[in-house]
Amino acid sequence: MAAAASEHAAEEGTMSIYKAARRIKRRESTLYNALRSVADDAAFVAEIAALWPTLPLVANLRCGLWYAQPRSLAATCYFKSTDGHAGNWAFSTARLNLHLALLAGERGGCIIVDSTRKGKRFPDSMAKTIPIWCCVLNRAIQRHRLRAINQSSGLNSEMSAVVSNGDAEEYSGSSNWDSSVHLPVWVLETERNAIEGRIEEWADLFESCGADIHSLALGLQKPLRPLWISQNTRIWLNEVPDHQLWDFTPIILVSASASGTVATQRTASEFSWRYIPGAGDDEESWARGLTPTLFWKHSYDLLDGGPDLCNQLVADIVEKDRVYRAQRGEHSPQVIVKHIKCSSYGQESYTGDHTIITQPMNSNPSTLAPANTQYSNDGHVVFWIGTSNIAVASTMQVADGLADMDCILNCDSTSRLPSNSSEDSYLELPIVDSKDERFSLLKNLPKAVSFAKKNLIARRKMLLCCQSGEDISICVALAIITRLFNDTGCFDCGESFMRRDITKLEMRKRLVFICKYAVNARPSRGNLRQVYGFLCNEKEQLPH
């Protein structure tokens, strides 16, 4: 024992600065400190939102969800910081966020909330990803407006008069349309020039992916432009500018947390706590199964209980929610906590606390879904994909009684089998994420497409669901629509698939079509690769 104690003391004496800093940070990054920091930063976000009360508040997934109460959020968006990293700039057609642009056009702008824990004032998603997105959309809209004007000028006088009273009048200000890149002042000039040099390439990519730019051009009367607000920003409350007077549609980017790399000590009326910048980031490492919705539902109890009771209160809240969902047949996984050693448009119908948004089967597949889609506090939404008779949702929605669904394709094996279903109307496929099993989706897609084909021939309405409703179910829908539907989004049992080549561009167009309706879609790159591999295999097996 003495030898072991002396060896441990020797290790303590030789501990590196890195290990010592990690140990100190681990002790400070408690659950209570994280929740208290989130609540403190959320108060700042609420103050900024109150300056422009008519602008909708939008959370950038996933971190932004922690910094606003669910009832105050108008929508969510998904911009990744990796698309704005230096040398890795990208415009993603899998994350177009067109619903955000339409929402901003309808309401005169929007406020997006996000945060980062890396000591920066703004995450790269706000510093570069969203500015790139704004510029690419502006550039594509400018091209569309100029084409409309040129086409109207080439018509005969009678038709020209008709067009000039329509689109040409709407687009009369195209010459003054701002399509330049607006980046924050701290971005280096070399990086700014590199981004500007790729805007035309990204605009071509955006136009080629099949997005409905015409609806965007009609919905946005002023070009998009980002503005940045952090806790270091000074705003004179008696001189808050009126956003309606600006010559652009503002995308106000609010970084919730204070910048700084070191946690600071703060005191409340009863407890002292350590402030953690960007505490809402990487929730798996600290939240212990707590979600933003559960946090804001029980925020007063959690914060008033203090640091000594916080962990137990969170465990009780998460377990009660798990039991509540399990009793109703919803997805309810057991939360496993790793202990840290001392040395994480349509019609609205209401069912309890949940809101089901069912988008009607529009006769015009090219019509974009309205931007004012409402979300429930739990985010439970059913998205109809055009006129395809296919809807996507999370498995948590299955138990809420979808009377208008004829069949269910469940891609989450952890959910319970509905008691009133048969083999013809229910199929459960144990599909897991590509990070857990590389070819899980690829192996199950043939059964999924076969099940869909049989039910779509019978004109049944089908629900595709996975645990999140944002990744695997979207990829399964992409495989089905590419394999069984033609270019206009009509079911043809796969006849057009036999006549066309399968390219990544064709698959990208169909993904954009799906994301036009399922605005929460976040398909991973690994799962999209499996869909492409499946479609190529299907093409090879067809008779020449």
Side-chain angles (χ1 to χ4, degrees), residues 86-302:
N88 193 46
W89 315 286
F91 176 81
S92 175
T93 55
R95 297 178 290 274
L96 287 177
N97 294 289
L98 297 184
H99 67 289
L100 178 65
L102 292 174
L103 177 63
E106 178 186 355
R107 303 282 292 275
C110 69
I111 303 172
I112 302 178
V113 57
D114 200 356
S115 182
T116 179
R117 63 165 58 200
K118 294 184 178 181
K120 302 178 181 178
R121 290 179 60 187
F122 292 89
D124 283 341
S125 61
M126 288 185 165
K128 283 166 280 189
T129 304
I130 295 179
I132 289 173
W133 174 80
C134 291
C135 181
V136 171
L137 264 61
N138 288 337
R139 192 70 57 89
I141 292 173
Q142 183 185 47
R143 292 180 180 181
H144 180 82
R145 288 170 172 250
L146 292 176
R147 281 196 296 265
I149 294 176
N150 293 335
Q151 289 176 2
S152 66
S153 61
L155 299 175
N156 57 51
S157 57
E158 180 179 357
M159 288 298 297
S160 179
V162 175
V163 175
S164 61
N165 292 329
D167 289 350
E169 183 177 346
E170 289 284 339
Y171 303 155
S172 58
S174 295
S175 58
N176 298 324
W177 187 267
D178 183 11
S179 63
S180 58
V181 183
H182 293 277
L183 294 169
V185 294
W186 60 85
V187 175
L188 297 176
E189 191 67 25
T190 55
E191 191 172 3
R192 185 188 304 268
N193 294 335
I195 292 174
E196 289 178 348
R198 298 193 59 185
I199 294 298
E200 287 295 320
E201 172 191 345
W202 290 327
D204 293 338
L205 176 65
F206 179 50
E207 290 181 335
S208 66
C209 73
D212 191 348
I213 302 176
H214 179 70
S215 296
L216 285 177
L218 293 178
L220 284 170
Q221 301 303 315
K222 301 176 183 178
L224 300 170
R225 182 169 178 177
L227 301 174
W228 296 269
I229 295 178
S230 70
Q231 293 198 23
N232 295 333
T233 305
R234 293 184 179 181
I235 300 177
W236 281 262
L237 298 181
N238 60 337
E239 297 180 2
V240 176
D242 185 359
H243 70 277
Q244 296 179 349
L245 301 179
W246 291 334
D247 58 354
F248 54 86
T249 302
I251 305 296
I252 301 177
L253 308 178
V254 179
S255 183
S257 298
S259 60
T261 57
V262 181
T264 57
Q265 190 76 22
R266 298 189 182 184
T267 57
S269 58
E270 189 174 356
F271 306 105
S272 63
W273 49 283
R274 301 284 288 184
Y275 175 75
I276 304 174
D281 195 16
D282 193 21
E283 60 193 44
E284 290 86 0
S285 63
W286 62 269
R288 295 173 177 258
L290 191 70
T291 64
T293 300
L294 286 177
F295 166 64
W296 287 110
K297 186 177 181 180
H298 303 278
S299 59
Y300 292 107
D301 295 333
L302 289 171

